[in-house]
Amino acid sequence: MSDLFKKAISLGLGLTVVSKEKVEKIVDDLVKRGELAPTESKALVNRLIERGEEEQSQIKTYIYEQVQRVLSELDVPKGTDVASLEQRIAVLEKKIVELEGPQQD
């Protein structure tokens, strides 16, 4: 089954975007053509789905890392940086109000 698994991967299934139904259909076709024993079909479907989920996770991680790198290179402030600045501004506004004293209309 290992060779068949490799063959299925090399067929360009694009497991990261293939639905479970599509994988099941491909495996059913392999069974119909006699390239896979019916008893092995469920295990192959599970392995292919698992592989697709792993690939999807790896792609998400890669994209996240690349976005973080680009944001860092562009000096885009992080949410924590913005929150810290907002807190400092609030403190300064409060001090200004205190220094101005009570306002008369």
Side-chain angles (χ1 to χ4, degrees), residues 2 20 22 29 34 39 57 66 70 72-73 79 83 88-89 98:
S2 161
K20 181 177 180 183
K22 180 77 170 171
D29 288 344
T39 56
S57 176
Q66 293 306 309
V70 169
S72 176
E73 288 175 2
R88 290 175 61 195
I89 290 169
E98 290 172 359

Side-chain angles (χ1 to χ4, degrees), residues 68 71-72 75-89:
Q68 292 302 315
L71 291 175
S72 176
D75 289 328
V76 174
K78 296 180 181 179
T80 54
D81 297 334
V82 173
S84 175
L85 289 172
E86 288 173 342
Q87 186 178 19
R88 290 175 61 195
I89 290 169

